[in-house]
Amino acid sequence: MRPLVPDPDIVLIGAGPNGLAAACRLARAGLSTLVVEADPDRPGGAVGTVEGTLPGFRHDVGAAFFPWGRLSPAFRALRLEDVGLRWILAPIDSCHPARDGTVAIVGRDLPRCEAHFGSPEDGAALGRIVRWYRSIEPRLLAALLAPLPPVRAALRLLPEAPRLAGVFLRSGAGFARRHFRSEAARRVFPGLALHVDVGPEDRFGAALGFMLGMTATTGGYAIPEGGAQAVADALVRRLASYGGRIVLGARVRRIVVRDGRARAVVLEDGREIPARRAVVADTCVAALLLDLVGRSEVPPFVADFLARYPRGFGTFKIDWALAAPVPWTEPLAHDSAVVHAGESLSDLARFTAEVRGGRIPRDPYLVIGQQSRFDATRAPAGGHTLWAYSRVPSRVAGGWRTHADAFADAVETRIEQLAPGFRSTIRARRIHTPDDLERMDANLVGGDLGGGSNAWHRQLVFRPIFPYFRHRMPVGGLYLASSYAHPGAGVHGMCGWNAAARVLADLRIREPTAACP
């Protein structure tokens, strides 16, 4: 059968942010680049927006707030604002209220955060940490987001090594107890780490929560005007400006390997698309090598490991259409992009143990997003949207559909305790179990949002598996560009951006000197 595009240089599988960032970089360097995306309706994967409850109520299907949106080197180089992306920032980026009336906030307004961080002493401690972090952020991000090994970036951080070790070598709870005295302050950074599968007492677990908290104070938890789909759409427009193409509704069935090298992809309808130079995949690494390539083409130790690939927590997400804003008891929550519902370090530890034990949490820790407070495009006049998720076991006895309504009720009860009258504002809700999320995006295996586990021993050279940590896969001409590769979870595009750099280096293609169009 005739291919969709005659012999592109690059065939890129998957149009998530990482795949699109990779495609943009490759197309900008002059390579004929074709992106094939299984979804027939939209690019973006877990970064998208749909009317999921009632007409006119626009809900983000996955990622909704973007700590890396204004900081990512990939997004900055692509100048997405020049192709229509507009970021909105709330007065407060993250609010952490509890049922006992205590509260802590983090965000770009440091004096306000210092005044509301559990106690005056803890506010002062936060201020010292944030001012230090702001002084090193460019050097630190260069080291954390760069391809491995980031030797030059790491050398520039040597003077800060002892202080960074004091953060990165601790558990989240250890870091919190070291720096703060009030429970309100102590629950903030370990709570943020539960955006992935890092619990408060996990060894070397402080880094992730620390980085999410600190980026709230610099780039902020930015909201794309019109919905998360605007990020994907901007990347598609930038790709088109470089001459790249995307085809929707084109699911890849297998990758053709000849003489140890990826030569083409075959779609479900039988069409074969040759790839003259490389195949780049924004996919789950296990699905890529075991299903699309085939176990016989990869080393046995790789195949064996991928068959039991360590996954992160599952995710249970709810979207609501509301008749009014959430009636928070805590005034600061009204000004916050994201509200985190957790009581204490012990509460977070209890929650983590329940999820890891395969039990449905009895009192769920929540990440709650109220985009429509700051973006009027999300709902009809007078209406509001709400978005929330909890971490859960990927699989439960009887299947998630058996428990979905009861757990959704428990989530609403948790919000009602912080916002009496919340339930009376609900016009409609839509539940997304871990199974639903995987059906929406095959990369979200078991509802895992983080590209596999984000524990310390699944990072750096162990991501996705040593020695294949520099985007090259054990098949010639095949590269991994998804969050299953370094630097991992988060909508920053850097997994794809760095994968594209590796492709260009291997092909000995010099990039344009200009960083943008």
Side-chain angles (χ1 to χ4, degrees), residues 148 309 448 450-455 457-466 468-471 480 482-489 495:
L148 296 173
Y309 192 78
D448 171 16
S453 175
N454 280 264
H457 56 282
R458 301 303 321 142
Q459 303 287 3
L460 302 173
V461 298
F462 306 109
R463 192 171 189 90
I465 178 175
F466 185 85
Y468 302 105
F469 60 87
R470 300 189 72 188
H471 304 283
L480 182 67
S482 68
S483 61
Y484 287 82
H486 175 78
C495 307

Side-chain angles (χ1 to χ4, degrees), residues 218-256:
T218 55
Y221 291 175
I223 304 167
E225 184 178 55
Q229 187 66 50
V231 178
D233 291 346
L235 285 164
V236 170
R237 287 192 292 272
R238 180 55 79 207
L239 175 63
S241 75
Y242 296 134
R245 285 194 56 198
I246 178 171
V247 178
L248 300 179
R251 184 179 297 276
V252 174
R253 185 175 70 201
R254 65 183 176 92
I255 294 171
V256 177

